[in-house]
């Protein structure tokens, strides 16, 4: 039998609804009472690392989680790890772990959209699915997998798409890498290896902002006055910005602070196409980086990791733009 660790970090999967309909953490983890029945599938050890609603998650805590997983796999010889997590920031933690961990053992992150005592609660079901995936013979070397609602997604591409639907996690551009049926686990996309970055601290200040029609210079200047290490902007379409905000961004670049463009469209890839004022070609000429295939929150995590790992200007550009 495989030896698996379940690391709890909080989220709806660790919560219950009270009579007034308010969902909040409970003193005993609701999944722990099922541990005996789950032990028939694998040798399972539960670890209670955090008890956080995931809006309280931070990159520093993600690093602590990543270091714990490394220790379990490399020193304590666990065959796989499951992380339970709130769904709100799950995709950021999953991607952080994808960059940080350099292990082939299966690592799955899961959560729930309905708390433990709600009708149709999906926490136990998703945990059981996560155990099945981690125990599957083909689950090695797949990066961090997000398992929810009978689907397996790659951390790099999945996102929470619905506020409340249990089918919330989707990979809009590429689809899931696998599915679960009642009897089987099927992987049907080959996992392409992503970047792995060496870092063991996480200290950089990298805000994420979203472009909107009529965005004005005073607003962006107030952001640029903050002590920044980098800035990520969800730009329009293929990577275009309102012309008024370009000048303050160029000042940041001149001060050696990387400014990274992603798209606020949730499909497609940014590329410098347009030559008008604020258009992608002009942004590229002025030194903004175009982060390929990443959402805003994930590009922010990646830029923080690259800065922490002391990549130089060209290395940051190449890693983001390849
Ligand atoms: N707000 C909750 C959280 O992210 C939602 C969830 O767990 O699904 O912790």
């Amino acid at each position: 039998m495989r030896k698996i660790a379940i690391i709890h970090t909080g989220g709806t999967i660790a919560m219950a609804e009270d009579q007034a309909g308010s969902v909040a953490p409970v003193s005993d983890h609701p999944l722990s009472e099922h541990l005996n029945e789950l032990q028939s599938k694998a040798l399972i050890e539960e670890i209670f690392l955090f008890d956080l609603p995931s809006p309280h998650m931070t990159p520093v805590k993600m690093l602590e989680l990543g270091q714990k997983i490394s220790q379990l796999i490399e020193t304590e010889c666990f065959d796989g790890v499951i992380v339970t997590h709130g769904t709100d920031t799950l995709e950021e933690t999953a991607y952080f772990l994808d960059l940080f961990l350099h292990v082939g053992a299966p690592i799955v992150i899961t959560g729930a959209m309905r708390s433990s005592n709600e009708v149709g609660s999906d926490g136990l079901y998703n945990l059981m699915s996560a155990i099945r995936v981690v125990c599957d013979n083909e689950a090695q070397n797949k990066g961090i997998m997000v398992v929810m609602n009978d689907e397996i997604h790659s951390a790099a591409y999945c996102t929470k798409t619905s506020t409340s639907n249990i089918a919330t996690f989707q990979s809009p551009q590429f689809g899931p890498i696998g599915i679960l049926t009642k009897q089987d686990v099927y992987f049907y996309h080959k996992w392409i290896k992503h970047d792995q970055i060496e870092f063991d601290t996480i200290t950089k200040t990298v805000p994420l902002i979203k472009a909107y029609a009529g965005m004005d210079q005073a607003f962006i200047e107030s952001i640029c006055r903050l002590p920044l290490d980098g800035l990520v902007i969800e730009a329009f379409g293929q990577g275009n910005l309102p012309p008024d905000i370009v000048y303050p961004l160029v000042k940041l670049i001149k001060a050696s602070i990387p400014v990274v463009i992603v798209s606020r469209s949730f499909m497609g890839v940014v590329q410098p196409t347009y030559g008008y004022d604020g258009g992608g070609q002009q942004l590229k000429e002025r030194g903004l980086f175009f982060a390929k295939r990443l959402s805003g929150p994930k590009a922010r995590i990646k830029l923080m990791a690259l800065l922490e790992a002391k990549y130089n200007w060209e290395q940051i550009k190449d890693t983001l733009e390849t």
Side-chain angles (χ1 to χ4, degrees), residues 8-318:
H8 296 297
T9 69
T12 298
I13 197 165
M15 297 183 193
E17 187 180 60
D18 69 14
Q19 285 189 335
S22 165
V23 175
V26 284
S27 49
D28 293 328
H29 199 293
L31 294 176
S32 295
E33 64 180 282
H34 300 283
L35 202 61
N36 280 347
E37 59 196 273
L38 298 176
Q39 295 284 12
S40 64
K41 316 217 175 314
L43 287 172
I44 296 174
E45 186 172 317
E46 269 186 309
I47 295 162
F48 298 89
L49 188 63
F50 309 125
D51 190 10
L52 297 170
S54 76
H56 298 195
M57 185 53 96
T58 63
V60 170
K61 292 194 169 79
M62 293 174 197
L63 180 64
E64 194 181 330
L65 173 61
Q67 287 166 334
K68 182 73 191 168
I69 296 172
S70 278
Q71 176 203 326
L72 291 169
I73 305 259
E74 280 156 14
T75 318
E76 298 184 33
C77 302
F78 278 84
D79 298 308
V81 174
I82 294 166
V83 176
T84 67
H85 197 288
T87 55
D88 287 350
T89 60
L90 186 149
E91 66 203 78
E92 281 159 87
T93 298
Y95 186 61
F96 184 102
L97 297 175
D98 215 39
L99 294 174
F100 177 75
L101 289 167
H102 308 197
V103 295
I107 298 163
V108 165
I109 182 160
T110 190
M113 293 300 285
R114 298 182 187 139
S115 68
S116 56
N117 59 348
E118 286 177 63
V119 175
S121 170
D122 51 336
L124 179 59
Y125 186 85
N126 285 336
L127 180 64
M128 289 170 77
S129 301
I131 294 170
R132 288 175 59 204
V133 170
V134 165
C135 291
D136 190 83
N137 289 334
E138 287 185 45
Q140 303 274 334
N141 296 310
K142 295 277 191 300
I144 307 301
M145 294 173 278
V146 175
V147 172
M148 299 240 333
N149 196 44
D150 282 338
E151 291 186 343
I152 308 165
H153 291 267
S154 183
Y157 302 120
C158 80
T159 188
K160 182 173 179 175
T161 61
S162 165
T163 55
S164 54
N165 193 311
I166 57 166
T168 188
F169 279 96
Q170 306 286 328
S171 302
Q173 188 72 63
F174 303 111
I177 60 166
I179 59 166
L180 295 100
T181 63
K182 208 167 175 53
Q183 293 178 353
D184 294 302
V185 173
Y186 295 95
F187 287 99
Y188 53 88
H189 279 188
K190 195 160 184 221
W191 186 68
I192 301 168
K193 210 164 171 294
H194 302 294
D195 297 307
Q196 289 173 338
I197 303 168
E198 301 275 351
F199 59 100
D200 56 11
T201 54
I202 194 90
T203 58
K204 305 296 180 191
T205 302
V206 179
L208 164 65
I209 56 174
K210 189 171 198 150
Y212 52 86
M215 199 173 195
D216 61 291
Q217 195 164 335
F219 168 71
I220 202 83
E221 273 172 347
S222 67
I223 305 251
C224 294
R225 277 196 292 274
L226 298 170
L228 305 181
D229 298 300
L231 180 66
V232 178
I233 306 180
E234 287 186 9
F236 305 121
Q238 297 194 42
N240 309 302
L241 288 173
D244 283 357
I245 74 163
V246 176
Y247 177 65
L249 298 179
V250 171
K251 280 207 293 189
L252 280 184
I253 292 167
K254 287 197 172 134
S256 301
I257 294 168
V259 180
V260 174
I261 293 289
V262 294
S263 181
R264 66 177 209 176
S265 303
F266 65 92
M267 287 175 72
V269 178
V270 280
Q271 52 191 349
T273 300
Y274 291 96
Y276 55 75
D277 260 7
Q281 282 193 358
Q282 189 191 74
L283 301 179
K284 179 117 188 109
E285 277 159 23
R286 305 221 159 142
L288 282 80
F289 298 154
F290 281 61
K292 300 277 170 79
R293 300 178 297 174
L294 288 177
S295 67
K298 289 180 190 172
R300 171 181 175 262
I301 295 279
K302 190 166 186 177
L303 181 56
M304 290 173 85
L306 293 171
L307 290 165
E308 209 65 57
K310 301 201 169 20
Y311 279 43
N312 66 31
W313 194 261
E314 279 311 308
Q315 290 169 319
I316 292 175
K317 177 175 158 58
D318 286 352

